[in-house]
Amino acid sequence: PAPLPPAPLPPCPCPGLQLPAAPGRLFPPLPAASFPPWRGSTKSYFQLREFSFTLRDDVYVRFQSFGSPQELERELQRTNPYKIDIGAVYSHRPNQHNTVHQGAFQPQEKELVFDIDMTDYDDVRTCCSSAEICAKCWTLMTIAVRVIDRALVEDLGMRHRLWVYSGRRGVHCWVCDDAVRKWSPALRAAAVEYLTLVKGGSETVKKVNLSEPIHPFIRRSVAIVEKYFEAYALLGQDILGGPESWDKVLALVPEDILPAHREPLRGEFPKKRDSAQRWELLKGRMDAPCYADWEVMLQYCFPRLDINVSKGVGHLLKSPFSVHPKTGGSGVLSLCHELDTAGSDGEQEDGGETEPKRRVRDYKRTSLAPYVRVLEQFVEEMERARRGERLRRSDLQGEF
């Protein structure tokens, strides 16, 4: 079986649960959007959704669509894809896109998605690189979830968020609010820009630059990062552990913040026991007031988002619970052995049970069950919100 992710996601995002009113919201709640004309029913909405399959030998099949969930299930059993990706809801059925007049086939809506990949942090982690992950660097994903989820709820007024492990080296977030799904690429890009502080490619040394006035989003993000910085960066990654690493940190501090202390610090650092003591020494030598310590903390710990993944309405993202073809792991955990055991036990208990019922019962005997329940609660909460909006609209129409 494939290994479990190195650490569980933090409990802060609670899909499917009622969230309290968020104090200090920077923007008004998202407006309720009317249902688009093609959404005459849930069935027609499903038929307009794109699915993509990755088959054996990296055969990539796009623009798959199905008349019903049962038809999708039958196709999955027939083709046995290595990976499943989910795309947008289109103006026409995706499997008929070649028959539609050129230009008429367009994506109409899609969840706002975020893909946070550990590879993007390679310049600030020393324990692993590329697709490798461990418990030390997984803290970066914990920070990312907490920072982004807080901002989505409190700053941007979003409600329906589903966070899942990507199956390999990061996490995915699906924002499913009705109004957000209809956002244009420009609005999606604006949201990612708002959530981005680390800017610049591999050739850029200093990637975080703060100036007055400090936005509330930055202050609230720093408050989250501070809780993890010592354990992750100073102890786990030892970012001031030797001359090469502390020169890297000193390069992030502007010249005017350490006008006469840069060279003396290089002589004093070896006298300190560890990175934590050297960090306190460094902060004490900074000319106040300044935000250089915040800039260092944010460059080492702040979430790094791929704007192209989030702004593209036609972009595909790996389905939650889909097995990752390169690791064999699902979006939550490995199941083959558990399913085999559950199936053997079930056959002994009741050999006359129908196959569909047994399959449902089998997954409930595995460690997948609580994660499926999280997904069910998430969908149930969305359905309750939709029913409430329909009732509200009905009441408003009755007043006129």
Side-chain angles (χ1 to χ4, degrees):
L4 297 177
L9 291 178
C12 63
C14 301
L17 301 181
Q18 185 69 34
L19 290 166
R25 178 174 289 168
L26 301 181
F27 298 94
L30 292 168
S34 58
F35 294 127
W38 62 86
R39 281 183 60 186
S41 66
T42 302
K43 181 178 179 181
S44 62
Y45 187 80
F46 180 83
Q47 292 171 348
L48 297 170
R49 171 76 73 172
E50 179 190 0
F51 293 88
S52 170
F53 296 162
T54 302
L55 307 178
R56 183 188 295 272
D57 298 325
D58 285 333
V59 176
Y60 194 51
V61 185
R62 282 203 64 173
F63 300 116
Q64 303 294 293
S65 60
F66 305 93
S68 66
Q70 293 75 26
E71 184 180 334
L72 170 60
E73 181 180 5
R74 289 193 295 270
E75 185 65 11
L76 291 174
Q77 292 172 341
R78 186 184 72 82
T79 60
N80 192 22
Y82 280 50
K83 186 164 74 86
I84 307 166
D85 291 284
I86 299 177
V89 174
Y90 281 83
S91 54
H92 302 76
R93 293 190 181 187
N95 62 357
Q96 299 175 356
H97 72 283
N98 287 327
T99 66
V100 179
H101 186 271
Q102 186 175 6
F105 180 72
Q106 295 291 334
Q108 301 294 324
E109 66 175 83
K110 183 181 180 290
E111 294 75 14
L112 174 63
V113 296
F114 298 97
D115 182 359
I116 306 174
D117 195 323
M118 195 75 79
T119 305
D120 295 329
Y121 296 83
D122 278 356
D123 62 317
V124 294
R125 58 179 182 145
T126 59
C127 54
C128 303
S129 63
S130 188
E132 299 174 345
I133 54 176
C134 69
K136 288 182 179 180
C137 58
W138 189 256
T139 303
L140 289 167
M141 295 296 102
T142 301
I143 296 170
V145 172
R146 290 191 180 277
V147 168
I148 299 300
D149 196 73
R150 186 215 62 79
L152 292 177
V153 176
E154 297 181 14
D155 299 357
L156 301 179
M158 299 177 186
R159 181 178 181 182
H160 303 290
R161 301 102 48 229
L162 179 67
W163 288 93
V164 295
Y165 173 51
S166 69
R168 190 184 188 192
R169 59 190 180 198
V171 294
H172 296 165
C173 178
W174 298 73
V175 181
C176 302
D177 295 50
D178 193 64
V180 176
R181 294 201 308 272
K182 301 172 183 63
W183 276 8
S184 66
L187 277 174
R188 295 167 191 262
V192 179
E193 181 66 23
Y194 175 81
L195 297 169
T196 299
L197 292 180
V198 181
K199 300 179 180 180
S202 58
E203 71 286 350
T204 305
V205 175
K206 184 173 168 55
K207 296 183 172 68
V208 178
N209 295 278
L210 304 181
S211 60
E212 290 281 7
I214 299 296
H215 195 279
F217 166 68
I218 298 175
R219 293 186 181 276
R220 293 168 183 169
S221 298
V222 169
I224 294 172
V225 169
E226 281 181 321
K227 298 176 181 178
Y228 296 90
F229 183 73
E230 180 175 355
Y232 165 71
L234 301 180
L235 302 179
Q237 302 297 323
D238 200 17
I239 66 169
L240 291 170
E244 183 178 350
S245 57
W246 66 54
D247 280 348
K248 186 176 177 181
V249 173
L250 288 173
L252 304 179
V253 183
E255 289 289 342
D256 59 328
I257 303 301
L258 295 172
H261 302 302
R262 198 172 296 270
E263 286 306 317
L265 276 171
R266 290 188 174 95
E268 294 180 55
F269 277 162
K271 301 175 184 178
K272 298 300 180 180
R273 184 178 68 246
D274 53 26
S275 286
Q277 288 191 357
R278 290 169 192 143
W279 175 248
E280 292 303 318
L281 175 64
L282 174 60
K283 289 198 298 181
R285 297 296 174 85
M286 293 179 183
D287 283 358
C290 74
Y291 297 101
D293 55 336
W294 285 14
E295 291 174 340
V296 173
M297 288 192 294
L298 292 172
Q299 178 147 339
Y300 273 84
C301 299
F302 193 81
R304 303 184 177 202
L305 304 175
D306 186 338
I307 188 172
N308 294 317
V309 170
S310 300
K311 76 175 184 180
V313 181
H315 191 277
L316 296 162
L317 190 65
K318 178 175 168 289
S319 170
F321 297 94
S322 174
V323 174
H324 197 291
K326 294 185 178 179
T327 65
S330 78
V332 284
L333 67 165
S334 180
L335 295 166
C336 294
H337 176 70
E338 295 178 44
L339 286 169
D340 290 342
T341 303
S344 300
D345 293 343
E347 290 173 1
Q348 295 175 6
E349 290 179 10
D350 187 356
E353 193 171 34
T354 63
E355 178 64 19
K357 287 184 178 180
R358 195 179 73 190
R359 285 204 308 270
V360 171
R361 189 199 61 201
D362 282 354
Y363 97 76
K364 290 183 177 179
R365 292 171 175 264
T366 72
S367 52
L368 180 66
Y371 300 97
V372 174
R373 184 56 192 150
V374 167
L375 180 62
E376 290 172 343
Q377 289 175 325
F378 175 75
V379 174
E380 289 165 1
E381 172 59 22
M382 286 188 63
E383 184 58 31
R384 281 194 294 269
R386 181 170 296 166
R387 286 199 300 266
E389 177 61 22
R390 287 173 176 168
L391 287 173
R392 189 187 70 83
R393 290 180 181 278
S394 177
D395 292 341
L396 288 175
Q397 290 175 356
E399 293 177 2
F400 291 96

